[in-house]
Amino acid sequence: MNQILWEPSQEFMRHTNIKRFMSYAEARYGRCFPNYPVLYDWSVEYPEEFWSACWSFFQTKASTPYETVLLNGDKMPDAVWFRGARMNYAENLLRLHERDDAALLFCNEDGKRRAYTYKQLYEETIRLADALKKQGVQKGDVVAALMPNIPETAIAMLASVSLGAIWTSCATDLGAQAVIDKLGQLSPKVLFTADGYIYKGKIYDVIEKAAEVQQTL
């Protein structure tokens, strides 16, 4: 038998981001979204309206605005989203850089926790981006990572794409040859790596693997 285990109060729901978006879309398009399934159906039936509303509601930053929301929407893989727009992924993720509330929360297998505020995440990203500039990283260069799921990986990605670089990564549990086969096609200018990672309580060393990858690349 289906049974609802928990349901938020109406007061709680009124202050959620999804409810704020529903109210915004209702006012913008004169529609009515009494619940999430109705909103979902609208997003599927009228994707241009939905994604245009998302773009403006979330105040997407772009150096060049889009000309059209969607072209060839009935075709895959020929659909084109937000044609003409130019934007930076990191700029949008870091736009709340003056806030002191948590932006990134991390907990490893040992239960150790770390948190970065929006301000701290921005400062770490800027510091690393400056180091990448000094290494000669420019727009269009490839920056790669052989890194576990830790905050430093996210920061390295943000720093790289903030410069217009192309980011790619491989999981640390891949074999050296698998990493070489993937990254060897991309000719990365910089390779981020770690000395190891933890899985099911066991520490795995990555130093020798990283050295083999680096030497081969």
Side-chain angles (χ1 to χ4, degrees):
M1 185 175 81
N2 293 328
Q3 181 181 0
I4 297 177
L5 299 179
W6 177 81
E7 189 172 13
S9 66
Q10 291 295 321
E11 178 65 19
F12 178 90
M13 287 190 287
R14 276 196 295 270
H15 291 86
T16 60
N17 285 332
I18 189 65
K19 181 60 178 177
R20 289 175 51 239
F21 175 73
M22 291 165 72
S23 299
Y24 172 82
E26 286 176 336
R28 176 168 176 168
Y29 293 105
R31 297 184 177 275
C32 180
F33 303 113
N35 51 49
Y36 180 81
V38 175
L39 178 71
Y40 171 80
D41 290 341
W42 171 64
S43 73
V44 174
E45 295 173 15
Y46 302 94
E48 294 92 340
E49 286 188 5
F50 174 77
W51 287 105
S52 176
C54 287
W55 182 284
S56 56
F57 176 78
F58 292 107
Q59 300 178 355
T60 304
K61 292 181 175 292
S63 57
T64 304
Y66 63 83
E67 300 167 1
T68 53
V69 176
L70 177 62
L71 286 176
N72 302 323
D74 59 341
K75 298 179 181 179
M76 285 293 287
D78 296 323
V80 179
W81 292 93
F82 299 108
R83 185 180 68 171
R86 297 184 65 85
M87 58 183 292
N88 186 279
Y89 187 69
E91 180 184 16
N92 280 273
L93 285 179
L94 298 171
R95 62 185 176 180
L96 303 177
H97 57 85
E98 295 182 353
R99 286 171 44 171
D100 288 321
D101 51 323
L104 180 60
L105 302 173
F106 171 75
C107 181
N108 67 8
E109 287 190 1
D110 294 334
K112 295 179 181 178
R113 297 175 180 269
R114 284 191 285 159
Y116 290 80
T117 66
Y118 286 97
K119 184 177 181 180
Q120 289 172 331
L121 187 61
Y122 176 79
E123 291 173 347
E124 289 293 316
T125 299
I126 292 299
R127 189 163 64 92
L128 185 53
D130 184 61
L132 288 172
K133 280 184 183 179
K134 293 176 180 177
Q135 291 293 323
V137 174
Q138 301 177 5
K139 178 181 177 181
D141 288 337
V142 175
V143 176
L146 177 61
M147 295 277 285
N149 292 324
I150 55 177
E152 287 78 6
T153 306
I155 293 169
M157 180 275 292
L158 289 170
S160 301
V161 301
S162 73
L163 301 176
I166 300 166
W167 171 263
T168 186
S169 64
C170 291
T172 45
D173 58 353
L174 286 179
Q177 190 58 51
V179 177
I180 292 167
D181 289 343
K182 177 180 178 180
L183 300 185
Q185 304 176 57
L186 305 173
S187 300
K189 195 164 194 174
V190 172
L191 174 66
F192 284 99
T193 189
D195 57 359
Y197 65 97
I198 301 175
Y199 180 67
K200 291 186 176 180
K202 184 178 179 180
I203 298 177
Y204 292 84
D205 190 281
V206 179
I207 294 177
E208 290 187 8
K209 182 194 303 184
E212 181 180 349
V213 170
Q214 185 270 332
Q215 291 169 7
T216 304
L217 294 179

